[in-house]
């Protein structure tokens, strides 16, 4: 996506392609991708976000509802 590349495990060709694409972006492009990734990490994995997910999970379990990931 916007924050980098994901390749299948043990797919050397896909990894080489992704690395080539990243190198072609230049320093400014890689810095932009890094900034996007940082925003996503701070949003999705901040302590408050994780705590909210656990709370929702526990409330679902206590209510006897179906578990979703």
């Amino acid at each position: 996506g916007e924050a980098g590349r994901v390749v299948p495990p043990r797919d050397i060709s896909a990894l080489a392609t992704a690395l080539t694409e990243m190198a072609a972006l230049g320093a400014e492009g890689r810095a932009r991708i890094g900034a996007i990734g940082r925003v996503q990490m701070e949003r999705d994995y901040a302590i408050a976000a994780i705590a909210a997910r656990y709370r929702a999970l526990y409330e679902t379990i206590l209510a006897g509802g179906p578990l979703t990931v």
Side-chain angles (χ1 to χ4, degrees):
E2 291 181 81
R5 305 290 184 270
V6 177
V7 298
R10 293 180 287 283
D11 188 336
I12 296 170
S13 178
L15 178 59
T17 299
L19 289 172
T20 301
E21 290 172 358
M22 296 299 282
L25 291 174
E28 187 175 305
R30 289 188 300 276
R32 181 181 54 78
I33 285 175
I36 292 168
R38 182 175 182 95
V39 168
Q40 289 177 351
M41 291 297 292
E42 288 173 346
R43 179 192 65 219
D44 296 341
Y45 298 102
I47 293 298
I50 298 299
R53 287 189 192 134
Y54 272 110
R55 181 183 179 110
L57 173 64
Y58 295 149
E59 289 173 352
T60 299
I61 291 169
L62 291 173
L67 299 179
T68 59
V69 177

